[in-house]
PDB file of all heavy atoms in Angstrom:
ATOM      1  N   LEU A  15     -36.617 -57.287-156.493  1.00  0.00           N
ATOM      2  CA  LEU A  15     -35.881 -56.904-155.286  1.00  0.00           C
ATOM      3  C   LEU A  15     -36.644 -57.211-153.995  1.00  0.00           C
ATOM      4  O   LEU A  15     -36.028 -57.452-152.951  1.00  0.00           O
ATOM      5  CB  LEU A  15     -35.564 -55.405-155.324  1.00  0.00           C
ATOM      6  CG  LEU A  15     -34.639 -54.921-156.449  1.00  0.00           C
ATOM      7  CD1 LEU A  15     -34.649 -53.400-156.529  1.00  0.00           C
ATOM      8  CD2 LEU A  15     -33.220 -55.442-156.241  1.00  0.00           C
ATOM      9  N   GLY A  16     -37.954 -57.143-154.076  1.00  0.00           N
ATOM     10  CA  GLY A  16     -38.750 -57.319-152.868  1.00  0.00           C
ATOM     11  C   GLY A  16     -38.690 -56.117-151.942  1.00  0.00           C
ATOM     12  O   GLY A  16     -38.999 -56.230-150.746  1.00  0.00           O
ATOM     13  N   ARG A  17     -38.320 -54.985-152.483  1.00  0.00           N
ATOM     14  CA  ARG A  17     -38.211 -53.763-151.681  1.00  0.00           C
ATOM     15  C   ARG A  17     -38.307 -52.554-152.606  1.00  0.00           C
ATOM     16  O   ARG A  17     -38.379 -52.704-153.830  1.00  0.00           O
ATOM     17  CB  ARG A  17     -36.878 -53.726-150.928  1.00  0.00           C
ATOM     18  CG  ARG A  17     -35.667 -53.791-151.831  1.00  0.00           C
ATOM     19  CD  ARG A  17     -34.366 -53.558-151.081  1.00  0.00           C
ATOM     20  NE  ARG A  17     -33.195 -53.825-151.896  1.00  0.00           N
ATOM     21  CZ  ARG A  17     -32.698 -52.998-152.805  1.00  0.00           C
ATOM     22  NH1 ARG A  17     -33.288 -51.818-153.028  1.00  0.00           N
ATOM     23  NH2 ARG A  17     -31.625 -53.323-153.500  1.00  0.00           N
ATOM     24  N   ARG A  18     -38.271 -51.375-152.008  1.00  0.00           N
ATOM     25  CA  ARG A  18     -38.301 -50.130-152.764  1.00  0.00           C
ATOM     26  C   ARG A  18     -36.955 -49.924-153.474  1.00  0.00           C
ATOM     27  O   ARG A  18     -35.905 -49.948-152.837  1.00  0.00           O
ATOM     28  CB  ARG A  18     -38.560 -48.976-151.803  1.00  0.00           C
ATOM     29  CG  ARG A  18     -38.741 -47.625-152.456  1.00  0.00           C
ATOM     30  CD  ARG A  18     -38.943 -46.557-151.385  1.00  0.00           C
ATOM     31  NE  ARG A  18     -39.138 -45.237-151.960  1.00  0.00           N
ATOM     32  CZ  ARG A  18     -39.152 -44.115-151.265  1.00  0.00           C
ATOM     33  NH1 ARG A  18     -38.967 -44.164-149.941  1.00  0.00           N
ATOM     34  NH2 ARG A  18     -39.346 -42.945-151.856  1.00  0.00           N
ATOM     35  N   PRO A  19     -36.949 -49.736-154.792  1.00  0.00           N
ATOM     36  CA  PRO A  19     -35.679 -49.594-155.515  1.00  0.00           C
ATOM     37  C   PRO A  19     -35.011 -48.231-155.286  1.00  0.00           C
ATOM     38  O   PRO A  19     -35.671 -47.240-155.003  1.00  0.00           O
ATOM     39  CB  PRO A  19     -36.072 -49.744-156.983  1.00  0.00           C
ATOM     40  CG  PRO A  19     -37.481 -50.227-156.981  1.00  0.00           C
ATOM     41  CD  PRO A  19     -38.088 -49.753-155.703  1.00  0.00           C
ATOM     42  N   LEU A  20     -33.703 -48.232-155.448  1.00  0.00           N
ATOM     43  CA  LEU A  20     -32.927 -46.995-155.473  1.00  0.00           C
ATOM     44  C   LEU A  20     -32.625 -46.681-156.938  1.00  0.00           C
ATOM     45  O   LEU A  20     -32.048 -47.502-157.657  1.00  0.00           O
ATOM     46  CB  LEU A  20     -31.623 -47.158-154.694  1.00  0.00           C
ATOM     47  CG  LEU A  20     -30.651 -45.963-154.759  1.00  0.00           C
ATOM     48  CD1 LEU A  20     -31.266 -44.732-154.118  1.00  0.00           C
ATOM     49  CD2 LEU A  20     -29.328 -46.327-154.088  1.00  0.00           C
ATOM     50  N   GLY A  21     -33.045 -45.508-157.398  1.00  0.00           N
ATOM     51  CA  GLY A  21     -32.848 -45.140-158.795  1.00  0.00           C
ATOM     52  C   GLY A  21     -31.854 -44.013-158.958  1.00  0.00           C
ATOM     53  O   GLY A  21     -31.899 -43.021-158.238  1.00  0.00           O
ATOM     54  N   ILE A  22     -30.935 -44.176-159.904  1.00  0.00           N
ATOM     55  CA  ILE A  22     -29.991 -43.118-160.267  1.00  0.00           C
ATOM     56  C   ILE A  22     -30.573 -42.386-161.473  1.00  0.00           C
ATOM     57  O   ILE A  22     -30.798 -42.996-162.529  1.00  0.00           O
ATOM     58  CB  ILE A  22     -28.610 -43.687-160.624  1.00  0.00           C
ATOM     59  CG1 ILE A  22     -28.089 -44.592-159.509  1.00  0.00           C
ATOM     60  CG2 ILE A  22     -27.637 -42.553-160.912  1.00  0.00           C
ATOM     61  CD1 ILE A  22     -27.919 -43.916-158.189  1.00  0.00           C
ATOM     62  N   LEU A  23     -30.840 -41.096-161.315  1.00  0.00           N
ATOM     63  CA  LEU A  23     -31.440 -40.297-162.378  1.00  0.00           C
ATOM     64  C   LEU A  23     -30.404 -39.323-162.921  1.00  0.00           C
ATOM     65  O   LEU A  23     -29.839 -38.518-162.174  1.00  0.00           O
ATOM     66  CB  LEU A  23     -32.651 -39.533-161.842  1.00  0.00           C
ATOM     67  CG  LEU A  23     -33.330 -38.538-162.789  1.00  0.00           C
ATOM     68  CD1 LEU A  23     -33.846 -39.229-164.036  1.00  0.00           C
ATOM     69  CD2 LEU A  23     -34.465 -37.807-162.062  1.00  0.00           C
ATOM     70  N   VAL A  24     -30.153 -39.402-164.223  1.00  0.00           N
ATOM     71  CA  VAL A  24     -29.168 -38.547-164.880  1.00  0.00           C
ATOM     72  C   VAL A  24     -29.896 -37.548-165.765  1.00  0.00           C
ATOM     73  O   VAL A  24     -30.666 -37.942-166.657  1.00  0.00           O
ATOM     74  CB  VAL A  24     -28.200 -39.377-165.745  1.00  0.00           C
ATOM     75  CG1 VAL A  24     -27.188 -38.461-166.432  1.00  0.00           C
ATOM     76  CG2 VAL A  24     -27.493 -40.424-164.896  1.00  0.00           C
ATOM     77  N   GLY A  25     -29.692 -36.249-165.539  1.00  0.00           N
ATOM     78  CA  GLY A  25     -30.287 -35.265-166.426  1.00  0.00           C
ATOM     79  C   GLY A  25     -30.620 -33.963-165.740  1.00  0.00           C
ATOM     80  O   GLY A  25     -30.607 -33.850-164.516  1.00  0.00           O
ATOM     81  N   THR A  26     -30.909 -32.971-166.562  1.00  0.00           N
ATOM     82  CA  THR A  26     -31.305 -31.653-166.073  1.00  0.00           C
ATOM     83  C   THR A  26     -32.546 -31.218-166.845  1.00  0.00           C
ATOM     84  O   THR A  26     -32.942 -31.830-167.825  1.00  0.00           O
ATOM     85  CB  THR A  26     -30.197 -30.612-166.288  1.00  0.00           C
ATOM     86  OG1 THR A  26     -29.914 -30.528-167.699  1.00  0.00           O
ATOM     87  CG2 THR A  26     -28.922 -30.994-165.566  1.00  0.00           C
ATOM     88  N   GLY A  27     -33.159 -30.148-166.406  1.00  0.00           N
ATOM     89  CA  GLY A  27     -34.263 -29.571-167.149  1.00  0.00           C
ATOM     90  C   GLY A  27     -35.601 -30.230-166.875  1.00  0.00           C
ATOM     91  O   GLY A  27     -35.771 -31.016-165.941  1.00  0.00           O
ATOM     92  N   THR A  28     -36.568 -29.887-167.731  1.00  0.00           N
ATOM     93  CA  THR A  28     -37.949 -30.317-167.540  1.00  0.00           C
ATOM     94  C   THR A  28     -38.097 -31.833-167.554  1.00  0.00           C
ATOM     95  O   THR A  28     -38.823 -32.411-166.739  1.00  0.00           O
ATOM     96  CB  THR A  28     -38.854 -29.707-168.622  1.00  0.00           C
ATOM     97  OG1 THR A  28     -38.698 -28.279-168.613  1.00  0.00           O
ATOM     98  CG2 THR A  28     -40.310 -30.044-168.373  1.00  0.00           C
ATOM     99  N   ALA A  29     -37.420 -32.497-168.489  1.00  0.00           N
ATOM    100  CA  ALA A  29     -37.554 -33.954-168.600  1.00  0.00           C
ATOM    101  C   ALA A  29     -37.090 -34.646-167.326  1.00  0.00           C
ATOM    102  O   ALA A  29     -37.740 -35.570-166.825  1.00  0.00           O
ATOM    103  CB  ALA A  29     -36.756 -34.462-169.795  1.00  0.00           C
ATOM    104  N   ALA A  30     -35.967 -34.195-166.761  1.00  0.00           N
ATOM    105  CA  ALA A  30     -35.463 -34.802-165.534  1.00  0.00           C
ATOM    106  C   ALA A  30     -36.404 -34.541-164.363  1.00  0.00           C
ATOM    107  O   ALA A  30     -36.622 -35.418-163.516  1.00  0.00           O
ATOM    108  CB  ALA A  30     -34.065 -34.271-165.222  1.00  0.00           C
ATOM    109  N   GLY A  31     -36.975 -33.343-164.310  1.00  0.00           N
ATOM    110  CA  GLY A  31     -37.919 -33.035-163.245  1.00  0.00           C
ATOM    111  C   GLY A  31     -39.160 -33.910-163.322  1.00  0.00           C
ATOM    112  O   GLY A  31     -39.648 -34.412-162.301  1.00  0.00           O
ATOM    113  N   GLN A  32     -39.671 -34.117-164.529  1.00  0.00           N
ATOM    114  CA  GLN A  32     -40.827 -34.994-164.696  1.00  0.00           C
ATOM    115  C   GLN A  32     -40.474 -36.431-164.342  1.00  0.00           C
ATOM    116  O   GLN A  32     -41.264 -37.134-163.688  1.00  0.00           O
ATOM    117  CB  GLN A  32     -41.341 -34.918-166.135  1.00  0.00           C
ATOM    118  CG  GLN A  32     -42.019 -33.606-166.481  1.00  0.00           C
ATOM    119  CD  GLN A  32     -42.585 -33.613-167.887  1.00  0.00           C
ATOM    120  OE1 GLN A  32     -42.424 -34.577-168.635  1.00  0.00           O
ATOM    121  NE2 GLN A  32     -43.252 -32.527-168.258  1.00  0.00           N
ATOM    122  N   ALA A  33     -39.298 -36.885-164.771  1.00  0.00           N
ATOM    123  CA  ALA A  33     -38.883 -38.257-164.482  1.00  0.00           C
ATOM    124  C   ALA A  33     -38.764 -38.489-162.981  1.00  0.00           C
ATOM    125  O   ALA A  33     -39.160 -39.545-162.467  1.00  0.00           O
ATOM    126  CB  ALA A  33     -37.553 -38.551-165.177  1.00  0.00           C
ATOM    127  N   GLU A  34     -38.223 -37.511-162.271  1.00  0.00           N
ATOM    128  CA  GLU A  34     -38.092 -37.647-160.818  1.00  0.00           C
ATOM    129  C   GLU A  34     -39.461 -37.772-160.164  1.00  0.00           C
ATOM    130  O   GLU A  34     -39.660 -38.597-159.256  1.00  0.00           O
ATOM    131  CB  GLU A  34     -37.334 -36.451-160.248  1.00  0.00           C
ATOM    132  CG  GLU A  34     -37.103 -36.556-158.741  1.00  0.00           C
ATOM    133  CD  GLU A  34     -36.198 -35.467-158.201  1.00  0.00           C
ATOM    134  OE1 GLU A  34     -35.662 -34.665-158.994  1.00  0.00           O
ATOM    135  OE2 GLU A  34     -36.027 -35.418-156.961  1.00  0.00           O
ATOM    136  N   ALA A  35     -40.425 -36.971-160.623  1.00  0.00           N
ATOM    137  CA  ALA A  35     -41.774 -37.048-160.063  1.00  0.00           C
ATOM    138  C   ALA A  35     -42.410 -38.407-160.335  1.00  0.00           C
ATOM    139  O   ALA A  35     -43.062 -38.990-159.463  1.00  0.00           O
ATOM    140  CB  ALA A  35     -42.632 -35.933-160.652  1.00  0.00           C
ATOM    141  N   VAL A  36     -42.207 -38.934-161.544  1.00  0.00           N
ATOM    142  CA  VAL A  36     -42.751 -40.246-161.893  1.00  0.00           C
ATOM    143  C   VAL A  36     -42.135 -41.331-161.018  1.00  0.00           C
ATOM    144  O   VAL A  36     -42.841 -42.208-160.491  1.00  0.00           O
ATOM    145  CB  VAL A  36     -42.511 -40.557-163.383  1.00  0.00           C
ATOM    146  CG1 VAL A  36     -42.854 -42.019-163.694  1.00  0.00           C
ATOM    147  CG2 VAL A  36     -43.327 -39.635-164.268  1.00  0.00           C
ATOM    148  N   LEU A  37     -40.824 -41.282-160.825  1.00  0.00           N
ATOM    149  CA  LEU A  37     -40.139 -42.289-160.012  1.00  0.00           C
ATOM    150  C   LEU A  37     -40.633 -42.259-158.566  1.00  0.00           C
ATOM    151  O   LEU A  37     -40.885 -43.305-157.959  1.00  0.00           O
ATOM    152  CB  LEU A  37     -38.629 -42.064-160.068  1.00  0.00           C
ATOM    153  CG  LEU A  37     -37.959 -42.371-161.415  1.00  0.00           C
ATOM    154  CD1 LEU A  37     -36.503 -41.914-161.404  1.00  0.00           C
ATOM    155  CD2 LEU A  37     -38.033 -43.863-161.739  1.00  0.00           C
ATOM    156  N   ARG A  38     -40.768 -41.073-158.015  1.00  0.00           N
ATOM    157  CA  ARG A  38     -41.244 -40.964-156.624  1.00  0.00           C
ATOM    158  C   ARG A  38     -42.672 -41.503-156.499  1.00  0.00           C
ATOM    159  O   ARG A  38     -42.999 -42.207-155.540  1.00  0.00           O
ATOM    160  CB  ARG A  38     -41.181 -39.511-156.153  1.00  0.00           C
ATOM    161  CG  ARG A  38     -39.764 -38.983-155.956  1.00  0.00           C
ATOM    162  CD  ARG A  38     -39.763 -37.611-155.313  1.00  0.00           C
ATOM    163  NE  ARG A  38     -38.423 -37.062-155.223  1.00  0.00           N
ATOM    164  CZ  ARG A  38     -37.544 -37.379-154.276  1.00  0.00           C
ATOM    165  NH1 ARG A  38     -37.883 -38.234-153.329  1.00  0.00           N
ATOM    166  NH2 ARG A  38     -36.340 -36.835-154.267  1.00  0.00           N
ATOM    167  N   THR A  39     -43.505 -41.171-157.473  1.00  0.00           N
ATOM    168  CA  THR A  39     -44.892 -41.645-157.442  1.00  0.00           C
ATOM    169  C   THR A  39     -44.962 -43.168-157.517  1.00  0.00           C
ATOM    170  O   THR A  39     -45.813 -43.795-156.881  1.00  0.00           O
ATOM    171  CB  THR A  39     -45.681 -41.044-158.616  1.00  0.00           C
ATOM    172  OG1 THR A  39     -45.647 -39.618-158.519  1.00  0.00           O
ATOM    173  CG2 THR A  39     -47.122 -41.517-158.606  1.00  0.00           C
ATOM    174  N   ARG A  40     -44.029 -43.773-158.267  1.00  0.00           N
ATOM    175  CA  ARG A  40     -44.031 -45.226-158.434  1.00  0.00           C
ATOM    176  C   ARG A  40     -43.306 -45.956-157.309  1.00  0.00           C
ATOM    177  O   ARG A  40     -43.183 -47.175-157.327  1.00  0.00           O
ATOM    178  CB  ARG A  40     -43.381 -45.606-159.769  1.00  0.00           C
ATOM    179  CG  ARG A  40     -44.060 -45.046-161.011  1.00  0.00           C
ATOM    180  CD  ARG A  40     -45.503 -45.491-161.132  1.00  0.00           C
ATOM    181  NE  ARG A  40     -46.056 -45.257-162.455  1.00  0.00           N
ATOM    182  CZ  ARG A  40     -46.560 -44.107-162.884  1.00  0.00           C
ATOM    183  NH1 ARG A  40     -46.576 -43.062-162.066  1.00  0.00           N
ATOM    184  NH2 ARG A  40     -47.057 -43.983-164.095  1.00  0.00           N
ATOM    185  N   GLY A  41     -42.767 -45.215-156.331  1.00  0.00           N
ATOM    186  CA  GLY A  41     -42.138 -45.862-155.181  1.00  0.00           C
ATOM    187  C   GLY A  41     -40.637 -46.007-155.245  1.00  0.00           C
ATOM    188  O   GLY A  41     -40.046 -46.745-154.447  1.00  0.00           O
ATOM    189  N   VAL A  42     -39.988 -45.292-156.157  1.00  0.00           N
ATOM    190  CA  VAL A  42     -38.527 -45.343-156.271  1.00  0.00           C
ATOM    191  C   VAL A  42     -37.911 -44.231-155.439  1.00  0.00           C
ATOM    192  O   VAL A  42     -38.448 -43.127-155.346  1.00  0.00           O
ATOM    193  CB  VAL A  42     -38.099 -45.193-157.746  1.00  0.00           C
ATOM    194  CG1 VAL A  42     -36.579 -45.127-157.871  1.00  0.00           C
ATOM    195  CG2 VAL A  42     -38.652 -46.340-158.580  1.00  0.00           C
ATOM    196  N   ARG A  43     -36.775 -44.530-154.823  1.00  0.00           N
ATOM    197  CA  ARG A  43     -35.984 -43.495-154.150  1.00  0.00           C
ATOM    198  C   ARG A  43     -34.991 -42.940-155.173  1.00  0.00           C
ATOM    199  O   ARG A  43     -33.946 -43.550-155.422  1.00  0.00           O
ATOM    200  CB  ARG A  43     -35.234 -44.083-152.962  1.00  0.00           C
ATOM    201  CG  ARG A  43     -36.116 -44.553-151.814  1.00  0.00           C
ATOM    202  CD  ARG A  43     -35.269 -45.178-150.724  1.00  0.00           C
ATOM    203  NE  ARG A  43     -34.622 -46.396-151.180  1.00  0.00           N
ATOM    204  CZ  ARG A  43     -33.491 -46.896-150.679  1.00  0.00           C
ATOM    205  NH1 ARG A  43     -32.855 -46.245-149.719  1.00  0.00           N
ATOM    206  NH2 ARG A  43     -32.995 -48.014-151.138  1.00  0.00           N
ATOM    207  N   PRO A  44     -35.277 -41.791-155.805  1.00  0.00           N
ATOM    208  CA  PRO A  44     -34.372 -41.287-156.835  1.00  0.00           C
ATOM    209  C   PRO A  44     -33.209 -40.478-156.256  1.00  0.00           C
ATOM    210  O   PRO A  44     -33.387 -39.663-155.347  1.00  0.00           O
ATOM    211  CB  PRO A  44     -35.278 -40.408-157.693  1.00  0.00           C
ATOM    212  CG  PRO A  44     -36.328 -39.934-156.759  1.00  0.00           C
ATOM    213  CD  PRO A  44     -36.492 -40.991-155.695  1.00  0.00           C
ATOM    214  N   VAL A  45     -32.034 -40.719-156.788  1.00  0.00           N
ATOM    215  CA  VAL A  45     -30.856 -39.899-156.493  1.00  0.00           C
ATOM    216  C   VAL A  45     -30.446 -39.270-157.819  1.00  0.00           C
ATOM    217  O   VAL A  45     -30.106 -39.976-158.764  1.00  0.00           O
ATOM    218  CB  VAL A  45     -29.704 -40.741-155.920  1.00  0.00           C
ATOM    219  CG1 VAL A  45     -28.497 -39.850-155.658  1.00  0.00           C
ATOM    220  CG2 VAL A  45     -30.141 -41.449-154.649  1.00  0.00           C
ATOM    221  N   ARG A  46     -30.493 -37.956-157.874  1.00  0.00           N
ATOM    222  CA  ARG A  46     -30.317 -37.269-159.152  1.00  0.00           C
ATOM    223  C   ARG A  46     -28.937 -36.652-159.267  1.00  0.00           C
ATOM    224  O   ARG A  46     -28.412 -36.068-158.306  1.00  0.00           O
ATOM    225  CB  ARG A  46     -31.387 -36.186-159.284  1.00  0.00           C
ATOM    226  CG  ARG A  46     -31.399 -35.436-160.599  1.00  0.00           C
ATOM    227  CD  ARG A  46     -32.673 -34.605-160.652  1.00  0.00           C
ATOM    228  NE  ARG A  46     -32.644 -33.620-161.703  1.00  0.00           N
ATOM    229  CZ  ARG A  46     -33.615 -32.733-161.923  1.00  0.00           C
ATOM    230  NH1 ARG A  46     -34.677 -32.731-161.139  1.00  0.00           N
ATOM    231  NH2 ARG A  46     -33.526 -31.853-162.906  1.00  0.00           N
ATOM    232  N   THR A  47     -28.340 -36.778-160.453  1.00  0.00           N
ATOM    233  CA  THR A  47     -27.066 -36.132-160.729  1.00  0.00           C
ATOM    234  C   THR A  47     -27.181 -35.316-162.002  1.00  0.00           C
ATOM    235  O   THR A  47     -27.758 -35.774-162.996  1.00  0.00           O
ATOM    236  CB  THR A  47     -25.923 -37.151-160.885  1.00  0.00           C
ATOM    237  OG1 THR A  47     -24.718 -36.461-161.272  1.00  0.00           O
ATOM    238  CG2 THR A  47     -26.232 -38.200-161.945  1.00  0.00           C
ATOM    239  N   THR A  48     -26.658 -34.094-161.950  1.00  0.00           N
ATOM    240  CA  THR A  48     -26.632 -33.252-163.143  1.00  0.00           C
ATOM    241  C   THR A  48     -25.305 -33.370-163.878  1.00  0.00           C
ATOM    242  O   THR A  48     -25.164 -32.854-164.984  1.00  0.00           O
ATOM    243  CB  THR A  48     -26.870 -31.781-162.769  1.00  0.00           C
ATOM    244  OG1 THR A  48     -25.885 -31.357-161.827  1.00  0.00           O
ATOM    245  CG2 THR A  48     -28.255 -31.600-162.149  1.00  0.00           C
TER     246      THR A  48
END
């Protein structure tokens, strides 16, 4: 892309919370839906 990606994150609970933290740390803009 040559830019910061936009990520759609699907999920709830601990796994989704960890995934969101990983995405933010790696430079992704996460948008989460439960």
Side-chain angles (χ1 to χ4, degrees):
L15 296 168
R17 59 172 171 79
R18 185 182 181 190
L20 174 64
I22 307 300
L23 174 60
V24 180
T26 60
T28 305
Q32 289 184 357
E34 183 172 355
V36 170
L37 290 172
R38 290 188 185 279
T39 301
R40 300 301 195 277
V42 175
R43 293 177 295 154
V45 179
R46 184 169 166 183
T47 175
T48 57

